[in-house]
Amino acid sequence: MKPISYIPPADSIRAVIDRFAGERAEQTFVVFPETDAQLNYGQLQKTVQQHSRYFRSLGLSKGDTISFMMENGQTSLELFLATLYSGCISSPLNPAAGQDQISYVLEHSDTTVVFVSPQYREQVEKAAVTLDRVIIIIETDIDQGAKWPVAPADEGIQAEVVGGDDGLLMYTSGTTGRPKGVILTNTNLLAGGMNTAQAHELTAQDRTLCVLPLCHINAQCVTIMAPLVSGGSLVLPHSFSVSAFWNWVIEHNVTWFSVVPTIISYLMHNEGKLSGTALKIALNKVRFGRSASAALPPSLHAGFEQKFGIPIVETMGLTETSAQILSNPMPPKKNKYGSPGIAFGTQIKVIDEQGNTQPANIEGELMVRGDCVMRGYYKNSEATNEALEPDGWLHTGDLAKQDEEGFVFVTGRLKELIIKGGENIAPREIDDALYSHPSVVEAGAVGIDDQHYGQEVIACVVIKNNAEVSEKELLDFCFEKLGKIKTPKSIYFFEDLPKGPSGKVQRLKLVEQLKVRSII
């Protein structure tokens, strides 16, 4: 079949849904494997329009922010797309975040309504009582729907939605420790989806498996927006399951999937009911798998391809770029292990400290420009001006080299972010949590290489003289403050931490000291 034109089919998410509801109303858009429910494009349009009527009854209008703290499910997807369809702004909450961050995001995002699964309601209510305004909390079943406190209005939110309208407010870790709210417009989101579609040569016949959480930019822009803009379809289970993964792929005729290296590692060690040659044959409809959010070790990359017979395409993106900026080309075109690929739908360059473009194979900061690049950081003009140049170039904060064929190799970070299992973690967040413990006088968190997660969090502390505090006590303290993902794997006790002239902990020297002590 002739590849699609890699131009968004319309200029807003609402217009895309309306167009495909008219052109291919009976074609399946999404399958929910746990319930065997499905939505075709016509049903999708009717569903998001019905949600828009409820939004209007709640007093919502275009530009209002709606938050979600839910696992994946039919209602989760419907509410996410209905928010965009209505011209409102979606601001997902990560259930794995600590209580402090949930409170901060709810306050900073100006959220009006929060849809929450029953198991997360207490977390949201604890956060809501700290706010200066009242928000509406609606308990929601991820498959059966929301417990609406109102009846739907006769009409949904009618304001026109155009490309420049904000659609998504995603919070990502920054070097200051406070998460920054990335503002993505309809144009940004559609461009992110089209960049994925172009890189992976997607057509309406392709179907993806979405096992990453909908509070993650990868799920939103890669496995939701890419099928939506290319007229394809997806399978959306509640969460990743290593035992069910291949069953979903085979049963629902999945042609591609997007995962992170951690999931690839899990799959390498658990084949499910089928194995060996039988599994390879059953997977013959799968064109490729996509890996992103963290560097994929070449040995894991090659081992997976050999074991399952499925090519893995390594890619790279940021929340600030609507998920994708680089990808290896589709097989049989050349791929390079250890590289996230070449630019698709974007312009890239590598610059030195003076802003000059570096020649091939010379290290510098990776810059990107294109329709996928964010509008800015919400209520943070200083951070926006630091990240975005006046001509639209975005500072990624990644050190990289670009070879003569255009392939990028990431060599490090200008910023101190730790990337664990695809999640950005600012060391400062860990430090601040530990400093709030009455026995801690110095704290320094670092990222160390980890075969499973890409990086793991390690923290080092100095405690008050004569204080009695155990590693377990501090780990439990961090868990309460930070949540599971950001809690350090281990905490080590030091008499003093290496610091520079300004008193700032020098994390590179701290890593060296950990190596000397044979801790890492």
Side-chain angles (χ1 to χ4, degrees), residues 246-268:
W246 294 124
N247 295 337
W248 290 328
V249 169
I250 296 164
E251 181 180 351
H252 298 291
N253 297 311
V254 167
T255 64
W256 68 284
F257 55 82
S258 180
V259 293
V260 296
T262 305
I263 290 179
I264 291 177
S265 179
Y266 275 124
L267 293 171
M268 278 289 288

Side-chain angles (χ1 to χ4, degrees), residues 2-174:
K2 184 179 179 181
I4 64 171
S5 172
Y6 294 108
I7 299 172
D11 68 352
S12 71
I13 281 88
R14 178 191 290 180
V16 171
I17 292 174
D18 287 345
R19 173 175 173 175
F20 286 150
E23 292 180 357
R24 55 191 74 191
E26 300 301 318
Q27 180 183 315
T28 299
F29 171 65
V30 59
V31 177
F32 305 99
E34 287 89 355
T35 63
D36 290 326
Q38 298 187 18
L39 286 177
N40 60 37
Y41 277 92
Q43 292 167 329
L44 173 66
Q45 182 194 47
K46 291 177 181 177
T47 298
V48 295
Q49 288 174 346
Q50 176 71 354
H51 285 319
S52 185
R53 287 190 278 272
Y54 277 111
F55 293 163
R56 189 169 183 180
S57 283
L58 289 169
L60 295 170
S61 58
K62 178 182 174 180
D64 286 338
T65 301
I66 303 173
S67 287
F68 310 88
M69 185 179 265
M70 305 167 62
E71 294 175 333
N72 291 3
Q74 181 169 348
T75 310
S76 313
L77 178 64
E78 290 172 354
L79 285 169
F80 172 63
L81 291 176
T83 300
L84 300 173
Y85 188 91
S86 302
C88 295
I89 300 168
S90 173
S91 184
L93 298 167
N94 189 343
Q99 193 65 43
D100 288 355
Q101 179 166 320
I102 292 169
S103 298
Y104 173 79
V105 170
L106 279 179
E107 171 62 39
H108 188 265
S109 65
D110 298 316
T111 285
T112 305
V113 177
V114 182
F115 291 90
V116 59
S117 296
Q119 66 268 37
Y120 304 130
R121 179 160 192 152
E122 184 179 353
Q123 279 181 279
V124 173
E125 288 178 338
K126 285 175 65 176
V129 299
T130 68
L131 306 182
D132 294 330
R133 67 184 189 280
V134 176
I135 61 173
I136 301 171
I137 299 173
I138 300 177
E139 189 171 305
T140 306
D141 183 279
I142 57 175
D143 290 315
Q144 301 303 315
K147 295 182 179 179
W148 296 102
V150 294
D154 292 335
E155 292 184 330
I157 298 172
Q158 296 298 304
E160 183 183 9
V161 181
V162 298
D165 290 333
D166 296 340
L168 186 61
L169 178 55
M170 284 290 293
Y171 282 81
T172 183
S173 290

Side-chain angles (χ1 to χ4, degrees), residues 173-177 180 365 396-399 412-420 423-432 443-448 455-458 498-500 502-511:
S173 290
T175 53
T176 62
K180 295 181 291 187
E365 183 184 8
T396 67
D398 287 295
L399 291 171
R413 290 285 298 170
L414 282 170
K415 302 173 183 178
E416 295 178 332
L417 288 179
I418 301 166
I419 303 178
K420 175 183 175 181
E423 293 287 341
N424 289 345
I425 302 171
R428 170 74 177 275
E429 292 181 79
I430 319 299
D431 298 353
D432 288 349
V446 296
I448 62 169
Q455 284 189 304
E456 185 56 272
V457 182
I458 297 291
K499 293 180 286 294
S502 65
K504 182 180 179 181
V505 173
Q506 295 183 309
R507 300 185 198 274
L508 291 178
K509 288 187 177 180
L510 185 55
V511 170

Side-chain angles (χ1 to χ4, degrees), residues 327-380:
S327 175
N328 275 272
M330 289 299 297
K333 298 173 186 174
K334 179 183 288 187
N335 274 235
K336 295 188 178 182
Y337 286 175
S339 168
I342 63 177
F344 281 94
T346 61
Q347 295 174 275
I348 61 168
K349 63 181 179 180
V350 176
I351 63 169
D352 61 17
E353 293 182 356
Q354 288 72 45
N356 302 311
T357 300
Q358 296 282 57
N361 299 310
I362 301 298
E363 185 182 76
E365 183 184 8
L366 179 65
M367 305 283 286
V368 59
R369 182 168 66 178
D371 287 343
C372 63
V373 173
M374 68 173 182
R375 183 168 71 78
Y377 293 113
Y378 189 56
K379 296 191 294 192
N380 195 338

